[in-house]
Amino acid sequence: LALSFVSFLLLFSHEIKRVLSIFDIRPRWHPNVTEDLKDQQNELRQELSYAAESLSKKKEGALLVIQQRADLSDFLSGGVVIDSQVKASLIHAIFCHNGNDFHDGAVVIREGRIWQAKAFLPMPHSIKLSQQYGTRHLAAVGITDHTDAVVIVVSEERGTISIAYAGQLTEFYDRRSLESALEDHLI
């Protein structure tokens, strides 16, 4: 019986981990929603929207992962801890091809701060995107297949901005619609 239970856990570990991460009930930032928290969330959405718009206009690819309830630690590899405020100018500096190697990988935002840069994400188990999407988009769908994270993707080739959430990818054409979508998806 014990061997059967362990075998079950090993065989279905991916699915079990995904279900547990989705039902994680820890509060995102603070248990009480205050005006300060609302201001912080609004500022976060604005900074991310400005960064995405700026990178999109210059056709600089980017991958911005926003951790929500589910802890992303088990799904990331290779990240460099930054621990900084979320500022559009910093995000732009990370993803611009100016001689640094931080533009490879993702910026991960945790509790309203840039936690890591150059983090690598899991790829989806099944590729359900058309050929027009690249590795960034696949990685965005991959992490949202596993967790409740919200991911902003800026395409280097097309300059488009997309959000991945719950394994689905949606394109946006302006900063305002992106900001509104972030308001809908972020907890």
Side-chain angles (χ1 to χ4, degrees):
L1 185 63
L3 185 60
S4 297
F5 180 70
V6 170
S7 298
F8 174 80
L9 289 177
L10 290 174
L11 285 173
F12 296 102
S13 63
H14 170 74
E15 288 80 8
I16 292 168
K17 188 183 284 189
R18 181 166 191 255
V19 168
L20 290 174
S21 71
I22 289 171
F23 290 111
D24 187 355
I25 58 171
R26 290 176 292 165
R28 182 166 171 252
W29 287 356
H30 303 289
N32 298 327
V33 177
T34 64
E35 288 302 314
D36 288 342
L37 179 58
K38 288 180 183 179
D39 291 343
Q40 288 174 349
Q41 290 173 333
N42 191 34
E43 184 179 340
L44 175 66
R45 286 191 301 271
Q46 288 176 353
E47 291 292 331
L48 291 172
S49 299
Y50 282 120
E53 180 182 55
S54 170
L55 291 164
S56 171
K57 287 179 180 176
K58 295 184 180 204
K59 289 194 174 182
E60 296 281 357
L63 195 55
L64 304 165
V65 181
I66 304 138
Q67 177 177 301
Q68 297 204 86
R69 288 185 185 118
D71 185 12
L72 300 180
S73 300
D74 292 339
F75 300 100
L76 305 174
S77 62
V80 176
V81 175
I82 301 287
D83 190 28
S84 173
Q85 286 183 310
V86 176
K87 293 293 180 189
S89 57
L90 177 58
I91 293 170
H92 194 272
I94 289 170
F95 286 108
C96 283
H97 296 285
N98 56 3
N100 74 49
D101 63 347
F102 281 94
H103 66 274
D104 291 332
V107 162
V108 182
I109 297 161
R110 175 190 269 179
E111 296 177 356
R113 295 181 60 79
I114 295 177
W115 170 42
Q116 290 186 15
K118 199 177 176 181
F120 294 98
L121 309 176
M123 295 305 255
H125 287 293
S126 64
I127 297 176
K128 50 189 168 186
L129 295 177
S130 74
Q131 296 291 334
Q132 71 180 7
Y133 296 110
T135 306
R136 279 188 183 94
H137 294 84
L138 288 173
V141 170
I143 193 72
T144 63
D145 269 347
H146 297 288
T147 68
D148 64 345
V150 175
V151 183
I152 301 170
V153 187
V154 180
S155 172
E156 190 170 343
E157 292 179 10
R158 295 176 292 125
T160 57
I161 302 169
S162 304
I163 285 185
Y165 182 74
Q168 301 296 316
L169 201 59
T170 307
E171 278 190 17
F172 295 91
Y173 297 98
D174 63 12
R175 182 178 51 79
R176 297 275 183 226
S177 60
L178 174 62
E179 205 170 315
S180 176
L182 287 173
E183 187 172 358
D184 293 341
H185 291 304
L186 294 178
I187 298 170

